[in-house]
Amino acid sequence: MDKRIYLDAERTWRSRRIEVEATRWFAVVSLDRDGYVDSLNMRGEDADLPAAFTVAAERAAEAACNRVRYNGYPGSYLLSSGSRFITVRVPFTHVQLAVDALRSAELEHDYTKLDELTAQLVLPVEQWLNPGERELVRGTDFDPPPTVFLRFLREQAKHRGLRLNGQATPGSVWVRPELPFAEKLLRESRPERYPGWTDRWTSHIEPDDAPTRPQSKGRSRSNLSRGARPVRFRPSHIAGTGDCPCGTRLHGSRDAQAQHAAHHVQWALGVPTPKGLHWTNGIAVVTSQSPIAWRRLAHRMGRLPQRENGYDTNSWFHVREPEPTPDDVRAYLFQSNHRVIGYLNAHDTDRHHHWKLAEDSPASIQDRTLRPQIGLIWVAGTHRRHGIGRALVQALADDFGCDTSDVSWSTPVSAAGQHLARKLSPEGIWIS
Ligand SMILES: [Zn+2]
């Protein structure tokens, strides 16, 4: 169907012509005045289109554009302007009228056929978007498949700042266009940007005999917001907190917040036990020579106190090849309900002092007994004060073959650590 129609007797570069090109969704009909304008310019003559032509052509192009989208064309294109090319994209049924309209507009300055084209293609969008609950019936109110029509109407509603509240049925489309308060404010505060816009929706009152939309299965979007009033906002007088107990700064992007949420769950509930690990008893002892999955798990646990307390480094760093350590570095992992909720990092050392657990008590002379030393003890946020820390220290002592009062604590001992140490060893503790 692609064709070229010359409007002038001669067929040269300066001749005006109408070109028709078919695409999958519509036909592009364009009046090509490019060479003609050049030749007029060369002779010093005015090449501008009459204003009436421009107005009529733009109206037709816009009506045709909407019609093509109404028919289901999912893409978008720009409406062209200028005096060199006049383009309308029309349904295939309207190609001949479009060609005739452009020809008589260009040659005879007769725009009635352009107006006729507009009249045939224009859609009653404003009417479809009237306020109130209504059912638009396929075949009576519109022709395309309801889902296609609904998509078109949503687009048109959005363009006007409206919420459509649309729903497609096999043979119809239900609509209840509403104007969100914010859109009303926006449009009324900037009338120069929305010329001719008036609010037809806000003061609409649904009549008692308004049709009732059938409830579709699976989603009961009933009109629970009908007649609702917008929420109000009040200034809050506190700035909100800056840090989460898990150690994350709370000011951040949405992405940062999502990462925080994931981290926070682990901080609060513990790290999920990897599926491949066979956990035979409550507390696993992971050494620098354990299988990598275990050492990685210890590393993940180490990250939680690291972030919470702002340490520079992870207390577990043996995540390369297995290798022995002279001081028997190890981690005690407490598991419950498929999550690791407690972590104790330890190694053995033989330089300690005894401390009476009072601020001003002097440290004793050095003790050279080999003792297990607690580097760090950490329990997931929601599991604290349930004896898990104590169980971890007990496991460390049992594993080494000593009493809990014989273990050593690395300094400085945190307040929580001192609290636990006092319970386990009220007479004082070993520190190193
Ligand atoms: Zn948090």
Side-chain angles (χ1 to χ4, degrees), residues 265-266 269-273 334-342 383:
V265 168
Q266 295 197 359
L269 302 178
V271 171
T273 312
F334 189 109
Q335 187 237 193
S336 172
N337 293 318
H338 310 290
R339 282 184 178 263
V340 189
I341 60 174
H383 295 283

Side-chain angles (χ1 to χ4, degrees), residues 1 16 32 72 75 108 193 197 205-206 210 225 348 368 370 382 399 404 410 413:
M1 92 173 276
R16 291 168 288 179
D32 179 348
E108 294 144 29
R193 268 190 65 181
W197 184 89
I205 296 162
E206 205 69 44
S225 277
D348 297 338
R368 299 298 304 262
L370 187 69
T382 52
D399 193 33
T404 51
S410 66
V413 186

Side-chain angles (χ1 to χ4, degrees), residues 31-49:
L31 169 61
D32 179 348
R33 307 173 81 243
D34 204 26
Y36 179 69
V37 167
D38 283 341
S39 67
L40 288 184
N41 287 343
M42 275 190 278
R43 297 205 301 266
E45 291 175 31
D46 180 21
D48 286 350
L49 285 181

Side-chain angles (χ1 to χ4, degrees), residues 73 105 112 118 136 142 185 201 234 301 305 309 343 364:
Y73 172 60
T112 51
T118 305
L136 304 172
F142 67 93
L185 286 185
W201 296 271
R234 304 280 307 153
M301 290 304 291
N309 300 317
Y343 167 77
S364 70

Side-chain angles (χ1 to χ4, degrees), residues 243-248 250 260-261 263-265 267:
D243 287 323
C244 184
C246 76
T248 307
L250 288 177
H260 169 214
H263 174 85
H264 192 99
V265 168
W267 172 83

Side-chain angles (χ1 to χ4, degrees), residues 1 6 48 60 66 71 85 116 124 166 176 204 211 220 235 238 263 280 293-294 312-313 364 377 398 406:
M1 92 173 276
Y6 284 91
D48 286 350
N66 270 353
N71 287 342
F85 296 93
E116 190 187 331
R176 191 180 63 259
H204 174 80
S220 59
I238 54 164
H263 174 85
T280 51
W294 287 98
D312 289 338
T313 54
S364 70
I377 229 181
D398 293 348
D406 295 324

Side-chain angles (χ1 to χ4, degrees), residues 265-293:
V265 168
Q266 295 197 359
W267 172 83
L269 302 178
V271 171
T273 312
K275 282 214 172 68
L277 294 190
H278 188 55
W279 208 298
T280 51
N281 223 320
I283 297 176
V285 186
V286 178
T287 73
S288 60
Q289 292 174 282
S290 297
I292 185 63

